[in-house]
Amino acid sequence: MEIKQELNGSILTMKIIGRLDASNAQELTNALNASLNGVTELIFDFSELKYVASAGLRALLMAQKRMNKQGKMVIRHVDETVMEVLEMTGFADLMTIEN
């Protein structure tokens, strides 16, 4: 997995590339913890995310909980396979997803 970040004022965009699973979910959590201070909008760009496992979902849920307190979170450009996982787990109902 690769994470590309772009901060524009209080809007942070994180592009997640590759696979988000148990081997690297902590890397995403660490990046979020280091980057979310002062952020009022978190945008995940999933256009190049090919797979998400339960550990990755946990990292997303933690991000959503934090952003509920300090602003909003949006997931954009979700691949069909990743969207199936989000829908089957109920995450699609908990998070704002835009394509």
Side-chain angles (χ1 to χ4, degrees):
M1 175 192 68
E2 181 182 351
I3 302 170
K4 293 186 179 178
Q5 297 185 54
E6 180 181 331
L7 184 61
N8 186 1
S10 64
I11 301 171
L12 176 63
T13 301
M14 295 185 110
K15 184 171 190 168
I16 312 298
I17 301 166
R19 297 171 56 90
L20 178 54
D21 56 30
S23 70
N24 57 27
Q26 188 61 48
E27 181 183 339
L28 176 58
T29 299
N30 294 345
L32 287 163
N33 288 337
S35 303
L36 288 181
N37 287 337
V39 170
T40 59
E41 184 174 355
L42 172 61
I43 300 168
F44 280 110
D45 179 347
F46 280 7
S47 59
E48 295 185 53
L49 180 66
K50 300 302 174 200
Y51 175 80
V52 63
S54 59
L57 293 174
R58 185 171 50 252
L60 292 177
L61 185 59
M62 289 172 51
Q64 181 70 66
K65 285 183 170 184
R66 178 153 176 197
M67 291 312 298
N68 284 346
K69 295 176 185 173
Q70 67 188 63
K72 70 176 188 171
M73 183 177 107
V74 177
I75 301 173
R76 294 187 177 151
H77 312 297
V78 181
D79 170 275
E80 188 177 311
T81 304
V82 172
M83 185 57 121
E84 282 183 20
V85 173
L86 295 175
E87 288 173 345
M88 285 190 298
T89 57
F91 275 63
D93 296 329
L94 299 173
M95 300 178 177
T96 302
I97 300 173
E98 300 173 352
N99 280 325

